Amino acid sequence: MPADTDQRLRTLIAAFESLTPDTVDALAALYAADATFRDPFNDVRGRAAVARIFSHMFEQVGAPRFEVHSAMSEGDAAWLDWTMHFTMRGQALQIVGATRLRFDDAGCVVEHRDYWDAAQELYEKLPVIGGAMRWLRRRLAVPDL
């Protein structure tokens, strides 16, 4: 991996893993002014919108924190494999996912796309909708041979 990619990726990982409500702006500063961000719930453009996504996360769930397990990059693209730990209604939960990133020539993130299964990683763990989601998954799964 090129040295500049390695450093920009290490900087971004450190920002994610130490993210707090007070450091959201520092994380957003690593994004280009017109960066795009997409996940199962959001599709936004602009550094301010990216900052709002992470600020909103702190308002919606308790004690969110990211743990990055691996990172790979080639040229202007990179992938992160991560777990987000948080609490919701007093219950400790996790979301396992991956992020595809693209950097501009200045080393800023221009595209951020999160991939994670909202049904399995979140909806199935919620009280009311969880039972219906688990039933649906069992119903659509290939039966044991």
Side-chain angles (χ1 to χ4, degrees):
M1 149 176 11
D4 61 330
T5 299
D6 188 52
Q7 183 55 49
R8 65 186 175 202
L9 202 48
R10 277 192 300 228
T11 300
L12 192 63
I13 290 168
F16 277 122
E17 290 189 327
S18 63
L19 189 61
T20 68
D22 294 332
T23 62
V24 166
D25 288 339
L27 173 68
L30 301 175
Y31 287 72
D34 63 343
T36 60
F37 178 101
R38 187 170 179 191
D39 70 9
F41 300 116
N42 303 284
D43 189 357
V44 300
R45 177 178 294 275
R47 186 181 295 134
V50 171
R52 279 195 306 274
I53 297 284
F54 290 105
S55 292
H56 186 255
M57 172 188 72
F58 283 102
E59 296 166 7
Q60 296 303 306
V61 300
R65 72 177 175 83
F66 292 96
E67 178 183 6
V68 176
H69 307 290
S70 66
M72 296 174 278
S73 69
E74 184 174 327
D76 71 346
W79 281 91
L80 302 176
D81 171 35
W82 50 263
T83 301
M84 178 184 159
H85 304 270
F86 62 100
T87 60
M88 185 176 280
R89 297 184 181 161
Q91 182 180 4
L93 299 170
Q94 297 179 2
I95 294 174
V96 176
T99 298
R100 181 185 183 280
L101 302 161
R102 258 194 354 93
F103 295 94
D104 65 13
D105 291 339
C108 295
V109 176
V110 291
E111 289 181 18
H112 176 138
R113 174 83 187 259
D114 283 347
Y115 295 92
W116 54 277
D117 182 349
Q120 188 173 25
E121 297 291 332
L122 184 60
Y123 300 148
E124 285 186 12
K125 298 171 184 172
L126 298 176
V128 176
I129 195 171
M133 294 301 297
R134 288 187 300 274
W135 173 85
L136 183 60
R137 182 171 43 87
R138 286 189 305 271
R139 178 86 171 118
L140 296 176
V142 174
D144 291 336
L145 300 175

